[in-house]
Amino acid sequence: MKRFADLLELLALTPSRSRKIAALAQYFAEVPDPDRGLALAVLTGELKMRNVKPALLKQTVLAEVDETLFALSYDYVGDLGETIALIWPHHGAKDLPRLSTLVELLNTTSKAELPKVIGGLLTQAAIHERWALIKMATGALRIGVSARLAKTALSQMSGVDLQAIEEVWHGVKPPYGELFDWLEGRSGRPEIDHGSRFHPLMLSTPIEESDFAKLDPRDFSAEWKWDGIRVQLVLGRSGASLFSRTGDDIAASFPDVVEAAMGRAVLDGELLVGHDFEPGSFNDLQQRLNRKVAAPKQMAELPGFVRVYDMLFDEDEDIRALAWEARRQRLEAWFAANPQTRMDVSEILRFDQWADLAALRRQGADEHGHEGVMIKLRTAPYVPGRPKGFWFKWKRDPNVVDAVLMYAQRGHGKRSSFYSDYTFGVWKGNEIVPIGKAYFGFTDEELKQLDRWIRANTIGSFGPVREVNKELVFEVAFDSAQRSARHKSGVALRFPRINRIRWDKPASEAARIEDMDAFVG
Amino acid sequence: MSFILDRNLYVPALDAWIDPDGPKPRAIITHGHADHARSGHGAVLATPETIAIMKVRYGVDCAGRFDPLRFGEVLSVDGAKVSLHPAGHILGSAQVLVEAEGQRALVTGDYKRLPDRTAEPYEAVACDLMVTEATFGLPVFQHPLPQDEIGRLLKSVADQPERCHLVGCYALGKAQRVIALLRDAGWERPIYLHGAMIALCALYEELGVGLGELFPATGMPKAAMAGQIVIAPPSAIRDRWSRRFPDPVVCQASGWMSIKQRARQALVELPLVISDHCDWGELNQSILESGAGTVWVTHGREDALVYWCRQQGLEADPLALPGLDDDGGEGGA
Ligand SMILES: [Zn+2]
């Protein structure tokens, strides 16, 4: 357990992503089975300890610590697990048993006996082991480590491609003996029913106006680019899953979509909300995404649906090697055979010349607020990752606003000693009100210049944040603007990024809040 | 009940204030940290070490007059007596005992009980009224042994010889203690200092606290700093100043570092739980040992300690003194 506690502490405190990956890879390479597999399950949120709940931990600690003192301490520390680890008043001097022994102990102890067992373990452990023990037992790590980071470390440890690991991930279970056997070359790739697993997605690359001269419009098909989230709907023998683009199963948030699906297939599409297949705003979708488990009222008001644009498996047949055109035919035939109420097929846009498509794209943006169009090579197979030349996204021209820098914050990792995270705003009467926040998007030289400016123009400091003179103008591009009650300005930008620093432009010429109205759809 | 000390820590019998917030005609100073020792008093009564520290920090004429009082010596003024007793917090730090009208009142200032060769060892003092600090006045604070924390620092240095370890420490007290702990753990190589540390380290040496070979950190070639330990103020270790060192490991030595969320927020990669204050258990122990029937709690998390004192059947109240920083301020915790 000590080794795992050390790892968790390093992951919690090391700002460098590459150092975190290296530490994980080293852990997976050196720690024996089944402990390393259980550690992997803890880190990826796959280890479920049904009986260890926060209430039980609280009960355990309140048997030993005055309730008022505990409440004052919890209030101060802010994290239940950490408060318990720090406040536990008894100290033994033995090491905790290995991870697998602990997991078994906690999983096989009756609820009535658990407080005593946990109390014994807390007494036995050193303080940072207690912290790790509680984090592990409750599954609430809160240390900023994603499942993807853990898988990236597996890839680094074994030399096996990350894509390949993601492909098998949903078919393997803790403690992952089969997975490690494969990664370390002792056995073949785990056999997995496609119907229960996530298949990495094919992604697009942006297209520039100048690219079109080299491309023949007859080789390509086009569709609207939808403003929802990319999903993979896996309709298998044993049930349906709805995966986000990173492979998280979000079916519990969208039972309306999953339960209504008919037939067997693996489909690629856009998750949207709205009545009668009329997509609502991204904000509407966000309300559904915010809930881990869907509420009936929300499902009625904001019904979900999937706009499907590709097919990876037709029944059990892997059709990813087929050309897009052939897959599209299969997809349409499958829809004809399996009528759906919460899925439809993404419409194909007709055009002869690129100029026609450009006109459609402008019209779609103006009249329906479409984000842009997707352009797909008719002969392209379905290839995971971001292959060149197959799928393009042609976004509508970004919205641009001149905003004034208000606050700067230190970045993380390599940029931690630079001010590289900026809050900017626009004029509202005689004051500047914030409209968004964006990270550094400049060259190192510009960053240094900007850093100097910030240090010379600081008028207030709050921890890592500096307030600066409202004198520097940024040209900020963004995808869309929304009304927001949470912002003092009443407006929030979606995907803002800083195009350039307008050293030349006086702040008085920056945008006014009234100018933002034009962007709010 | 009336006390020989009021809630602003003014002693009528001596016409003097203890650690006053602003300039006073007569002040008794527990120790040299900026939230206790200020410049501009008419007369300052303190240990010779504290007076030396004040002169280095604020200038030789930072008070109208200095009245040194050694540990254990007693000064009598019209039937009232005042004496200073080691607080174990930093060099020269004292608890102030005032005796008058048959009553003993003790103001601890900041104090700690763990051994530390850079400060005179803490001495328990019996009293009727105790004014105690509560910087770490919550039961979540259970400080580990500082030797173990230094062990973790040295292990990190050994494991990552290509990186430079920057240890954030307050310039007075904590810096010298960390250096002394490193020396006692066998670290014989030079230790590098931020400019803000140099004068006070020199003063400690002058007052007999050996710190080994110390060098200024600035002006060294970057590559030469791999595998070295640099001591700097916490504000410098995450600032542009730190960019001169190879791939620095940001460390911080403070009692606050036991709280991981706090270390994360401060972007500290290696937190070292080394405190110059009592932890919860030591505060409890000190209060009980003093025999005081009344406890005034100040400087930190008063609520919990006041609650605990009342549970023990003691009279207890929080004291909200002006000018003391919540988080130990420069005291550095
Ligand atoms: Zn102090």
Side-chain angles (χ1 to χ4, degrees), chain A residues 9 12-13 19 66 68-69 72-73 76 79 82 86-88 91 131 142-143 417-418 451 455, chain B residues 138-140 142 152 163 239-240 243 247 256 258-262 264 269 271 301 304 307 311:
Chain A
E9 177 157 288
L13 296 173
R19 218 165 258 132
D66 179 274
T68 302
L69 292 175
L72 287 168
S73 297
Y76 183 77
D79 177 290
E82 182 150 24
L86 291 171
I87 207 170
W88 188 255
H91 301 267
W131 174 76
R142 289 176 60 192
I143 57 167
S417 53
F418 290 103
D451 196 68
R455 286 168 197 280
Chain B
L138 280 172
V140 283
Q142 309 186 55
R152 297 197 312 123
R163 303 179 74 187
D239 198 39
R240 51 169 30 188
R243 290 180 215 155
D247 197 6
W256 303 117
S258 63
I259 300 179
K260 287 195 178 51
Q261 291 292 356
R262 203 155 168 150
R264 282 190 71 181
E269 188 169 345
R301 271 120 290 280
Y307 171 86
Q311 275 189 319

Side-chain angles (χ1 to χ4, degrees), chain B residues 31 33 35-36 89 110 277 331:
Chain B
H31 67 289
H33 280 146
D35 46 351
H36 295 259
H89 173 59
D110 294 339
H277 297 260

